């Protein structure tokens, strides 16, 4: 199955989100930190009057905190929504079948794109991590 | 069954639930006082519509049950009355429809079988019962086919549109509310642009239009919030049934009285309190009311009375659940008066002293849960009880969760909102002492737990300033004071859910401010709980024995400057110095004018602490009264926007009076608008301070400069 994905870069690594689960891509907005939230959460931000949690994708994937995230991918699965801070959004396009096995609990697989290994994100699982595993 | 889309199914479920509520209500009314022909007609119509709709969307079990009920009711209709023994099976059948609609399978056959048993009773209507006369449990769907098999569902009353009302998905209303919020933000941005623009400022036509826009947006917001409210009746439908079932199980006779169910509440709050009310009602029936024999012995009617009453009280809605039962025992009341709160004693009883107290109290089971859930909604719970004559629990709930007046404060560079209903006062911390490891604030003879706001949320912030303002908050009868870096002022905000982060404790939600920043809205109950834990002293808490409590009007200013020897960092001694200098003759008197009590009190404490005598007034008119009074006023600090007579009006009145033309006036307002500033200056203000970057040092310096010279 190949489908349109939004590809992002986090540090040296590449990941992709199914486009159906991305509502928009924007500059990383100003955040208000939320004491008590998981350390992966950068805070909450206003997105056209709505309040959304913003989390560090790098930290969620266990790659350590992102140094200078610049962009935000707003992901939504069901009624759950959050902004994911990434270093860059590299491409929007078709991704070949996930041919490679993938490690990590937030991945459904991986695909080779122009020599880069791109991890396919299980967006629902990423959002669950922000929700403290409480759905 | 394929076909009906999700939205249609939701609509069907919602409508069916409403009809079922009405059916249950009608059946209970029939049980209580016999049903007239028209009530039976109404029952019949509702059942008939459910049947038709269920058939359309493919809920065959629900359709079959409704069909069987319809047959039964049809015959009652012919007879012109509803036989009492039919109520129970019809109630059970209604429940079965509810379950079928929620997706449960296999509920139809048993329900229909029961109905058919009772249907046999039509020969001897008065005696019909399950126990009597072995019924002929004929076919699974015994009466089907008798009449209406293939009726068009349209013969019932038209669904939805009745009464000119419109069904709209709740999310659509929320989207609308968001859009209105956005429009308000947009409006504020335009106001700022106009205020900054030389061509815009002073243009009266433009300002008039902006005012009009603001009013229109306010009306719009009110209208949308209205749409979010529903009457208590929308959840009260199931209570009579629940109470009845419980009473039957307990072998008690209970009369449930509902009053004020037309009272409107925010949808979100209604969702949150349905369980809570059930809980209180069940406590009243199970623990509150005595068995009939005991009641008669006590000279009460055998039938116990439970009341559910709702009414609006100011900006809150009060929901009371009361009973005329045994009340709590004397010893529980004594413990309550010792501890200051009956709720706390009863809530704890549910945990610790277990059965004995619980039973004796006639309450207490799970009251802690009730208290927690009410507080999570920004409300409070109060219980009063008289031994022997009953108990009353009152839930006090905000009218709406969506729109909230908050005191905006700042900690570590970020804004936080504290619901204004919970704010008692704001004052700079001068006196705090450590009591057994807890830091407390002496407040008019009472000690209040004191905590750093950041710490109460489990975070660590930059060290607090030397005389950080403390906000005293109250919830559920408890108080605590939280230290912040500054107070930004009051504001009405639209509270939004934190979404995925809604589980993080400590917050009611978040609000988007005019400048686009997001402020977390604090849950006062959480803050108070954390403060009570009192884990450690905040960095600025001064355990100074030198600060003898109770000397609020001490002659010598007790600025922190001189005490810890770091005057340079804390503030210029000039402010303190000039006030002290005046001390020789007479202490200078400052009149603080502001319609917001928190701002007024905050300024009062800051100025009093610096050695000034302070008077307060709530608006310009009161201020003018105070100025013509006995006390000589040396300086006025005034807000701009106030009722009756605003700050500009006050200024003009002062300047127009030859005796006071030279009286220094400091304008302090929440608006940083250039236009405001100009208006103030034109009217003769001597200084202008903005609440947003309100800084007590700036205030003290300004006051000292204007009085000193």
């Amino acid at each position: 199955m190949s489908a349109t994905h939004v590809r992002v870069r986090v540090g040296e690594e590449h990941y992709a989100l199914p486009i159906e689960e991305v509502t928009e891509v924007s500059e990383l907005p100003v955040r208000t930190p939320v004491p008590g939230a998981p350390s992966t959460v950068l805070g909450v931000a206003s997105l056209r009057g709505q309040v959304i949690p913003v989390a560090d994708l790098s930290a969620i994937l266990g790659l350590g905190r992102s140094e200078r995230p610049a962009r935000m991918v707003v992901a939504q699965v069901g009624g759950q929504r959050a902004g994911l801070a990434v270093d860059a959004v590299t491409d929007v396009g078709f991704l070949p079948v996930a041919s490679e096995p993938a490690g990590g609990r937030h991945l459904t697989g991986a695909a080779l794109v122009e020599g880069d290994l791109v991890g396919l994100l299980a967006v629902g699982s990423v959002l669950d991590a922000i929700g403290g595993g409480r759905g | 069954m394929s076909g009906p889309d999700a939205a249609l199914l939701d609509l069907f479920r919602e409508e069916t639930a409403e009809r079922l509520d009405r059916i249950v209500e009608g059946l209970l009314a029939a049980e209580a006082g016999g049903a007239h022909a028209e009530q039976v007609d109404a029952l019949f119509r509702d059942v008939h519509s459910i049947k038709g709709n269920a058939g359309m969307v493919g809920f065959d079990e629900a359709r079959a049950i409704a069909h069987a009920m319809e047959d039964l009711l049809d015959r009652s209709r012919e007879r012109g009355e509803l036989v009492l023994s039919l109520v129970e099976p019809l109630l059970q059948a209604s429940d079965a429809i509810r379950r079928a609609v929620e997706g449960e399978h296999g509920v139809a056959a048993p329900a229909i079988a029961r109905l058919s048993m009772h249907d046999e009773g039509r020969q001897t209507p008065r005696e019909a019962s399950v126990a009597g006369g072995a019924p002929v449990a004929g076919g699974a769907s015994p009466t089907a086919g008798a009449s209406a098999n293939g009726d068009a569902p349209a013969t019932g009353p038209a669904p939805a549109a009745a009464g000119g009302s419109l069904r709209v998905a709740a999310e659509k209303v929320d989207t609308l509310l968001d859009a209105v919020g956005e429009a308000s933000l947009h409006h504020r941005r335009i106001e700022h642009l106009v205020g900054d623009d030389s061509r815009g400022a002073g243009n009266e036509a433009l300002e008039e239009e902006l005012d009009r826009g603001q009013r229109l947006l306010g009306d719009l917001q009110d209208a949308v919030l209205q749409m979010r409210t529903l009457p208590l009746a929308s959840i009260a439908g199931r209570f009579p049934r629940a109470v009845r079932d419980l009473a039957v199980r307990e072998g008690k006779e209970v009369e449930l009285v509902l009053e004020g169910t037309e009272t409107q509440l925010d949808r979100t709050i209604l969702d949150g309190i349905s369980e809570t009310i059930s809980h209180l009602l069940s406590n009243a029936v199970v623990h509150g009311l005595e068995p009939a024999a005991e009641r008669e012995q006590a000279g009460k009617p055998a039938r116990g009375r439970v009341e559910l009453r709702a009414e609006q009280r100011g900006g809150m809605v009060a929901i009371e659940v009361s009973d005329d039962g045994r009340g709590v025992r004397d010893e529980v009341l004594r413990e309550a008066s010792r501890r200051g709160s009956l709720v706390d004693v009863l809530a704890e009883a549910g945990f610790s002293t277990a059965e004995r107290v619980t039973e004796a109290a006639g309450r207490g089971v799970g009251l802690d849960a009730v208290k927690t859930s009410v507080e999570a909604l920004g409300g409070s719970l109060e219980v009063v009880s008289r031994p022997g004559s009953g108990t009353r629990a009152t839930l006090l709930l905000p009218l709406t969760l969506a729109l909230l007046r908050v005191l905006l404060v700042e900690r570590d560079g970020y804004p936080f909102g504290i619901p204004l209903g919970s704010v008692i006062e704001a004052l700079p911390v001068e006196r705090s002492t450590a009591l057994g490891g807890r830091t407390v604030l002496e407040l008019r003879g009472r000690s209040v737990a004191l905590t750093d706001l950041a710490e109460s949320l489990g975070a660590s912030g930059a060290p607090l300033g030397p005389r950080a303002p403390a906000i005293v908050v109250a919830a559920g009868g408890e108080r605590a004071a939280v230290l912040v870096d500054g107070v930004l002022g009051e504001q009405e905000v639209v509270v939004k859910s934190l979404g995925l982060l809604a589980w993080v404790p400590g917050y009611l939600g978040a609000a988007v401010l005019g400048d686009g920043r997001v402020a977390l809205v604090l849950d006062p109950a959480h803050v108070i709980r954390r403060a009570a834990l009192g884990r450690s002293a905040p960095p600025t808490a001064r355990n100074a024995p030198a600060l003898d409590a109770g000397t609020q009007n001490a002659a010598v200013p007790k600025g922190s400057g001189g005490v810890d020897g770091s005057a340079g960092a804390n503030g210029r001694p000039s402010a303190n110095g000039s006030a002290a200098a005046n001390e020789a003759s007479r202490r200078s008197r400052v009149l603080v004018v502001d319609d917001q009590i928190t701002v007024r009190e905050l300024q009062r404490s800051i100025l009093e602490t610096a050695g000034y005598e302070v008077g307060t007034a709530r608006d310009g008119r009161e201020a003018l009264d105070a100025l013509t009074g006995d006390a000589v006023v040396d300086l006025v600090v005034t807000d701009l926007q106030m009722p009756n007579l605003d700050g500009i009006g006050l200024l003009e009145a002062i300047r127009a009076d030859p005796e006071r033309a030279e009286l220094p006036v400091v304008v302090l307002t929440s608006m940083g608008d250039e236009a405001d500033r100009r208006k103030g200056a034109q009217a003769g203000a001597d200084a202008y301070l903005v609440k947003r970057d309100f800084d007590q040092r700036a205030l003290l310096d300004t006051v000292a400069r204007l009085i000193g010279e």
Side-chain angles (χ1 to χ4, degrees), chain B residues 320-377:
Chain B
E320 292 180 355
V321 175
S322 57
D323 64 65
D324 64 349
R326 56 169 74 96
V328 306
R329 286 213 178 143
D330 284 335
E331 68 244 37
V332 178
L333 276 188
R334 273 197 298 277
E335 173 74 2
S337 74
R338 198 176 63 76
R339 302 250 306 266
S341 159
L342 181 56
V343 173
D344 284 354
V345 174
L346 295 180
E348 213 168 86
F351 270 136
S352 55
T353 354
E355 304 303 321
R356 202 188 59 79
V357 176
T358 298
E359 291 299 328
R363 278 305 149 107
V365 183
L367 207 61
D368 51 324
V370 169
K371 185 171 180 248
T372 312
S373 73
V374 169
E375 282 171 358
L377 291 169

Side-chain angles (χ1 to χ4, degrees), chain B residues 36 82 89 118 135 169 183 194 213 222 276 312 397 444 492 537 589 606 701:
Chain B
H36 307 299
L82 183 65
H118 288 273
V194 169
D222 287 349
T276 303
Q312 194 173 334
L397 296 157
R444 288 183 286 279
E492 192 160 71
R589 187 174 171 83
I606 290 170
D701 283 352

